[in-house]
Amino acid sequence: IETMEGLKKIPLTWKAGDKIAENNQMFGHFNLSNEINRKASLLTINKRNLSLHAWIRRAASKVTVAYDGTSLEEGVFIYLKSVQIKHIPSTCLLGDTNTIKDVKQLEDGETITYVEDGVPYDEYFPARITKGRPYYPYDKDYKLSKDAHSETANSLFFYENMQGEGKDKTQVKEYLGDNQIYKDGKDYGSYIEVHAYYRSIHTDRVGSGDIIYRFMLGKNVTTDYNAERNYHYKLTLKFNRFANDADWHIEYEEEIPGIQVPEPYYISYLYNHEMEMPVKINMGSYNKIKRFRADIDTNAWAPHDAPLLDYYRKMDPETPEGQANKAPLNVWNGFLSLRKTKTMVIPFPADGDVANANQENKAYYELHNRGNRVYYENGSLIDPNSTEDGEFTMKRDGNICTFNVPMYTRAKQLIIKTGYTGNNPYVAYRRRAVVKFTAVLENENGDTLKVTENADIMQVRRVVNPKGVWRKHDNNKAFHVVLKHLPRESATDFQTFTSEGKWRAYVIRGDKGFVTLDGRDTIKGSTGTPVDFNINFQGFTPANSSRCAIIRVDYHNYTCNHLIFVRQGDAPMQLVADGAKWHARNMRTATEEASCPVEEGSMFRFGNWEQPIDAVNNVNDKPLWINVAESDFKDHASTYFKIAGTTDSVQWSSIKTSNSNGSFSNPTINGKEIRVASYDDYNLLWLSDDIEQGYGVMYGNDATETLSNINEVYGHRYDKHGDATHAGAGYGMRGVFVYNKSETAPYGGRNLFFPIGASGYGRRRDSEAKGTAVLRYGGRTAPISESAADKLKDRPIFYDLYMRPGAIYWLNKRVDNSREKDAIAWDFNYFSFDFNMISVSNVFTKAVTGGYPYSDACFIRCVED
């Protein structure tokens, strides 16, 4: 090489693939000054100790890409999949300006893959952008990572490509989706291409699908197209509002004409709750809708995507076992309705056949048209202001019509004998329904076109943690709420989840001045953030009274709801007019109540005040109560049980029980005679239209925050009695909240908590096929079998009832003229949500002809008139 120009023009070739590190060629010169000087000059080396300075530039540059979603609308999601540098030079000059003038000299460069194919687009997607968590890459606080554009950040490398000045890169809507102009007139320029999945549940612009963003490299974001060598380009894709608008060059298409639905869309785990779903119809060249309707296609009673959950798979049409067995769809047993639901318990017909209870569900579903609805026909909305079926709206913008379609969860119990429920019973799994939307379009010539679209409606996991907070009358310590759920049935820790859309929390019932949420009436959060706030108690309550409030949390774009029951004080109070005053604590002995409403108290055999079985005895038969099997329930006939209020420990056979025709005498607490709650007391709550139930975890006086480990979330004990095993005063307790949902003072918002016990089983069974004195709630000892003799074989939610949680509370005496014969206790089923009487035959052992002398051990709650 004889000339400097020849040296500078040495050709370099880009090494792709694994040889990328070989593209490290540099060129430079020496000079005598340490000032930056990019022009080489002739140097004379003619003296000792001469200082030379070398100036070196790489032939390549690099670009790092970060993402900023702070300008997104709520309910918009971007799931980043990859970023690639495109149309990079395949050759470069060692030291001279490199300008590509032939498309044959361009090739596609490196790709950074954020997430591999097949990862579901959900809250756990590691590279998701939302309004509430808008940055990628992010730090531990979900802010833009300080390393996003650092020297060590993952980068894309490329040879110099100088394309000069050009048109303004700023995009306009007219060019949205025009793939021919995305290079802005610079056919040989280099650009960045980002692949992502787009989803919007915002009512103003529903949509979902793959999306591509492109941006031409240069020294600025306007008119410069010089991708100069030896530079670190720091590029941030800042998403604009709906993220499919004209900011970068965007490739995103929707089917026209067609129906767009937010995919998926969520509905509350609670029974009798409502959400509105935006459905967009883009008519394209058609100008009229002749008809628009919805039909429920599938409607699950079973958990969705729960491969490890042991339930009656042959009855579920969505599992391989169910499909092989040709399991019927049975949409009438599912959780979803297209029309408003109000009934808490769908009654079993007086002339119904128990063996065909499922058919009664079908008859009710079809009679009330739960699975179909027409919203528009022949130019008119069909009953849009219906108070019976639910209101809906439609708005039109050009040839785009958007319907806000209401959907509802069904009754708490869909005929009790079937076990089916509109309330999701699963704390770790969602349930799925598919709704088919059909629109018939018409153009000016009278030609018609039918378009359809299916929407997945996911009933979210049941949220139980937290469900309630109790404070003593003189304690106003704040409680830190973070909604959590179990990721799977066998998990040992609850996990914080984020809201798929905006969320808010506010007091809806009771004494609204009694608590604030982070010092406000209403607290709000953004898409992609956890439901996280503090309940602040305002002042104290007199010792002889109680204050109650109900906090409602709307999350997942306000389509899902969760209630938190708050109470300060434990003074007896009425839940309904003309009802008894209910005590807030279970009985521990004949003269003492439990230490607080969160404690389970003692278990009693029927009629026996003298030998209360202390709560310390109620410990599961293995330390971690997961993956429960039949063999985990042990026989305790020889176990010595500690008797509360004494130093005695006795065996089960020595704990007496009264005949089922006996009763509990009235106990005396602090010198005042009270009584065990009667059938009439419970039944008044059962009959009242103002009374409903909530199921979940209550935190007590010493608790300050939502916990995670299941032994802490469920395992409240109290140290008052000096027993070392009564640890965990700040833990939670599962149970049933009975509350007044009305706005009528003074009863509206009042709530009462019935614990089911730290073990989850508020019952010790006298005798069963698997043993004596077994700590178990359910009356069964094994899963449902396929035997024709098994009366529950066609009721799959009862499949593993033997291990499900719940509690039994004694009545003061047997009642034979009840709705069902021989009522003697009240049933709190934490899994299937039953709140009803239970008969003698279920809690007494038939050991003597014509009599029931040996009873189970159950909890007791008292009232006063």
Side-chain angles (χ1 to χ4, degrees):
I1 298 173
E2 299 178 350
T3 65
M4 186 178 297
E5 288 71 23
L7 179 65
K8 288 182 178 180
K9 291 185 182 298
I10 291 177
L12 309 175
T13 301
W14 187 259
K15 304 284 179 56
D18 294 336
K19 298 180 180 180
I20 198 74
E22 296 182 19
N23 302 310
N24 58 1
Q25 301 93 343
M26 291 180 276
F27 181 80
H29 59 270
F30 294 95
N31 64 24
L32 299 177
S33 170
N34 63 358
E35 294 180 2
I36 294 176
N37 183 355
R38 292 182 178 175
K39 291 184 179 181
S41 57
L42 185 63
L43 300 183
T44 301
I45 311 298
N46 60 0
K47 63 175 78 171
R48 289 177 181 270
N49 300 323
L50 184 68
S51 293
L52 295 177
H53 298 269
W55 299 94
I56 305 173
R57 303 185 77 206
R58 297 178 184 272
S61 283
K62 72 175 182 179
V63 58
T64 52
V65 184
Y67 304 87
D68 179 355
T70 53
S71 294
L72 285 176
E73 294 287 339
E74 297 286 2
V76 176
F77 306 81
I78 299 294
Y79 303 85
L80 301 172
K81 294 193 284 189
S82 65
V83 59
Q84 186 177 19
I85 180 91
K86 304 273 283 188
H87 286 192
I88 65 171
S90 56
T91 61
C92 186
L93 301 177
L94 177 61
D96 222 349
T97 300
N98 199 56
T99 301
I100 300 301
K101 296 180 180 179
D102 186 347
V103 71
K104 294 179 180 179
Q105 293 179 285
L106 296 174
E107 63 180 77
D108 290 340
E110 292 180 284
T111 298
I112 297 173
T113 300
Y114 299 119
V115 181
E116 298 295 336
D117 291 340
V119 176
Y121 303 124
D122 60 18
E123 64 182 292
Y124 301 111
F125 197 90
R128 187 173 80 160
I129 307 292
T130 66
K131 178 72 172 179
R133 289 185 172 174
Y135 299 107
Y136 190 84
Y138 50 80
D139 60 19
K140 63 181 181 63
D141 297 318
Y142 296 98
K143 304 297 184 184
L144 183 65
S145 171
K146 62 181 178 56
D147 296 324
H149 293 300
S150 71
E151 288 302 315
T152 58
N154 209 354
S155 307
L156 300 169
F157 293 87
F158 55 95
Y159 276 152
E160 178 179 81
N161 189 5
M162 303 293 282
Q163 294 294 321
E165 292 285 318
K167 62 177 286 190
D168 195 323
K169 303 174 192 178
T170 305
Q171 302 307 303
V172 292
K173 290 186 177 181
E174 289 74 46
Y175 297 130
L176 181 61
D178 186 347
N179 298 326
Q180 301 305 312
I181 55 87
Y182 66 77
K183 297 197 72 172
D184 296 307
K186 292 291 185 179
D187 293 341
Y188 312 117
S190 301
Y191 65 94
I192 293 295
E193 183 172 281
V194 176
H195 285 248
Y197 183 82
Y198 168 79
R199 174 170 162 251
S200 171
I201 60 175
H202 196 289
T203 54
D204 288 349
R205 192 174 300 180
V206 177
S208 61
D210 289 325
I211 194 167
I212 298 172
Y213 300 90
R214 298 184 178 96
F215 181 79
M216 297 295 292
L217 277 178
K219 290 296 192 67
N220 58 36
V221 296
T222 53
T223 60
D224 190 284
Y225 292 82
N226 289 316
E228 188 175 346
R229 70 182 64 203
N230 204 62
Y231 270 87
H232 176 183
Y233 289 84
K234 301 177 181 181
L235 186 61
T236 299
L237 168 51
K238 188 174 176 65
F239 298 102
N240 182 32
R241 296 195 67 207
F242 293 102
N244 64 353
D245 211 338
D247 32 27
W248 284 23
H249 284 295
I250 292 173
E251 184 177 332
Y252 172 75
E253 296 180 3
E254 295 179 355
E255 185 176 352
I256 301 174
I259 299 175
Q260 282 284 320
V261 295
E263 184 71 28
Y265 213 56
Y266 299 96
I267 196 166
S268 178
Y269 71 89
L270 293 165
Y271 63 91
N272 287 349
H273 271 62
E274 173 187 3
M275 66 84 165
E276 282 191 352
M277 178 178 182
V279 180
K280 182 175 74 176
I281 303 174
N282 192 328
M283 294 183 284
S285 60
Y286 292 78
N287 63 341
K288 183 188 297 183
I289 297 177
K290 283 184 64 69
R291 197 166 202 250
F292 175 60
R293 67 173 292 153
D295 297 271
I296 295 179
D297 210 28
T298 64
N299 198 7
W301 58 264
H304 175 66
D305 192 21
L308 300 179
L309 184 63
D310 192 11
Y311 68 99
Y312 209 23
R313 297 176 184 277
K314 290 184 179 180
M315 299 295 290
D316 182 6
E318 290 200 359
T319 65
E321 297 93 331
Q323 292 170 5
N325 193 46
K326 297 182 180 179
L329 290 176
N330 290 357
V331 291
W332 48 86
N333 292 330
F335 66 88
L336 189 67
S337 170
L338 296 178
R339 301 175 191 268
K340 183 181 289 188
T341 58
K342 302 174 185 176
T343 305
M344 189 158 60
V345 178
I346 295 177
F348 189 73
D351 58 349
D353 181 359
V354 174
N356 295 313
N358 287 346
Q359 293 303 309
E360 300 294 348
N361 260 344
K362 177 183 179 182
Y364 183 93
Y365 184 89
E366 293 177 345
L367 176 65
H368 295 278
N369 293 320
R370 290 290 182 239
N372 61 81
R373 189 171 179 183
V374 176
Y375 303 95
Y376 192 91
E377 192 163 38
N378 296 327
S380 298
L381 296 174
I382 306 300
D383 207 4
N385 301 312
S386 173
T387 56
E388 180 67 23
D389 291 332
E391 300 177 2
F392 68 92
T393 61
M394 182 197 81
K395 65 179 181 179
R396 179 166 180 166
D397 182 9
N399 271 15
I400 294 178
C401 288
T402 301
F403 287 83
N404 282 321
V405 175
M407 296 186 188
Y408 306 87
T409 55
R410 300 185 65 203
K412 185 180 73 167
Q413 292 173 289
L414 311 179
I415 300 182
I416 294 173
K417 296 179 184 300
T418 71
Y420 295 113
T421 170
N423 202 118
N424 188 356
Y426 304 104
V427 294
Y429 302 105
R430 301 177 297 179
R431 300 198 290 184
R432 173 178 172 265
V434 177
V435 177
K436 180 181 179 180
F437 292 101
T438 304
V440 178
L441 310 178
E442 185 178 41
N443 63 17
E444 293 177 348
N445 298 323
D447 301 323
T448 61
L449 175 70
K450 183 168 77 173
V451 292
T452 63
E453 185 65 33
N454 289 341
D456 282 356
I457 310 300
M458 306 300 297
Q459 186 179 35
V460 295
R461 297 172 178 89
R462 176 179 174 188
V463 179
V464 301
N465 185 24
K467 190 73 174 181
V469 181
W470 175 77
R471 290 288 183 259
K472 291 178 66 175
H473 72 94
D474 57 354
N475 180 10
N476 63 356
K477 185 185 298 182
F479 183 86
H480 183 199
V481 172
V482 179
L483 291 195
K484 300 186 179 187
H485 61 212
L486 283 178
R488 61 189 182 281
E489 185 90 350
S490 59
T492 58
D493 290 282
F494 282 81
Q495 291 183 355
T496 301
F497 65 91
T498 60
S499 176
E500 300 294 284
K502 56 190 175 182
W503 64 267
R504 64 189 174 194
Y506 51 100
V507 179
I508 59 165
R509 294 289 184 274
D511 187 344
K512 295 186 179 180
F514 156 44
V515 293
T516 64
L517 311 178
D518 283 349
R520 287 168 275 175
D521 296 331
T522 300
I523 184 75
K524 295 183 178 181
S526 283
T527 303
T529 61
V531 178
D532 185 334
F533 60 91
N534 290 287
I535 300 175
N536 303 113
F537 293 79
Q538 305 300 300
F540 305 114
T541 300
N544 60 351
S545 66
S546 296
R547 292 193 291 176
C548 295
I550 302 175
I551 297 167
R552 173 167 164 150
V553 179
D554 300 327
Y555 60 101
H556 285 1
N557 218 41
Y558 302 165
T559 64
C560 300
N561 322 106
H562 176 69
L563 301 180
I564 299 176
F565 303 96
V566 183
R567 178 167 176 169
Q568 187 183 49
D570 60 359
M573 65 180 181
Q574 294 172 283
L575 290 185
V576 293
D578 300 325
K581 290 184 177 179
W582 283 86
H583 280 228
R585 294 180 278 170
N586 283 355
M587 295 300 292
R588 181 170 185 263
T589 69
T591 59
E592 181 186 10
E593 292 179 310
S595 303
C596 67
V598 186
E599 189 180 354
E600 62 193 271
S602 299
M603 288 186 184
F604 300 81
R605 300 191 79 176
F606 187 70
N608 181 356
W609 282 118
E610 287 72 36
Q611 295 171 297
I613 302 170
D614 197 294
V616 69
N617 300 287
N618 301 332
V619 178
N620 287 319
D621 292 312
K622 61 179 184 178
L624 201 56
W625 199 246
I626 58 173
N627 299 318
V628 180
E630 301 168 60
S631 58
D632 292 328
F633 294 87
K634 304 302 182 184
D635 183 301
H636 287 280
S638 60
T639 299
Y640 280 83
F641 295 101
K642 177 177 172 57
I643 301 303
T646 74
T647 58
D648 298 340
S649 292
V650 299
Q651 290 181 306
W652 180 256
S653 59
S654 298
I655 303 175
K656 298 177 294 183
T657 180
S658 296
N659 186 281
S660 61
N661 290 319
S663 63
F664 281 96
S665 60
N666 290 344
T668 298
I669 301 294
N670 296 326
K672 183 176 184 177
E673 183 177 299
I674 57 177
R675 60 182 177 82
V676 176
S678 68
Y679 172 84
D680 289 339
D681 296 321
Y682 282 105
N683 199 49
L684 182 62
L685 301 180
W686 189 87
L687 291 171
S688 174
D689 291 336
D690 289 336
I691 296 296
E692 293 195 356
Q693 293 84 46
Y695 300 76
V697 174
M698 166 84 98
Y699 285 95
N701 191 61
D702 300 309
T704 59
E705 62 180 349
T706 309
L707 301 175
S708 296
N709 183 268
I710 58 172
N711 285 338
E712 297 176 354
V713 174
Y714 301 155
H716 177 91
R717 302 287 187 188
Y718 200 68
D719 199 24
K720 174 182 175 182
H721 309 296
D723 193 312
T725 58
H726 283 93
Y731 292 176
M733 168 66 73
R734 282 178 291 182
V736 180
F737 296 83
V738 180
Y739 67 98
N740 191 308
K741 68 177 182 180
S742 74
E743 298 183 33
T744 305
Y747 305 105
R750 288 186 175 181
N751 55 81
L752 192 64
F753 180 67
F754 290 86
I756 65 169
S759 67
Y761 304 123
R763 177 188 191 182
R764 193 172 288 276
R765 300 188 63 205
D766 173 44
S767 178
E768 59 177 38
K770 301 296 176 70
T772 299
V774 179
L775 185 64
R776 189 203 306 268
Y777 159 68
R780 295 181 66 91
T781 61
I784 292 174
S785 72
E786 296 184 54
S787 166
D790 195 326
K791 296 179 180 179
L792 294 182
K793 69 183 183 68
D794 294 326
R795 304 174 210 179
I797 279 188
F798 290 143
Y799 172 73
D800 50 13
L801 185 62
Y802 76 95
M803 49 81 69
R804 294 297 180 181
I808 305 295
Y809 280 69
W810 289 121
L811 304 179
N812 64 336
K813 63 180 181 180
R814 172 176 174 167
V815 177
D816 289 333
N817 61 347
S818 57
R819 286 174 285 106
E820 294 188 29
K821 190 178 179 182
D822 299 341
I824 201 167
W826 206 261
D827 184 12
F828 294 82
N829 191 318
Y830 189 83
F831 182 67
S832 71
F833 313 105
D834 200 9
F835 172 78
N836 212 329
M837 53 145 289
I838 193 169
S839 62
V840 169
S841 60
N842 286 303
V843 288
F844 275 74
T845 302
K846 261 187 183 177
V848 178
T849 302
Y852 298 85
Y854 303 115
S855 79
D856 295 347
C858 306
F859 292 141
I860 293 177
R861 181 64 61 88
C862 288
V863 298
E864 58 186 68
D865 297 313

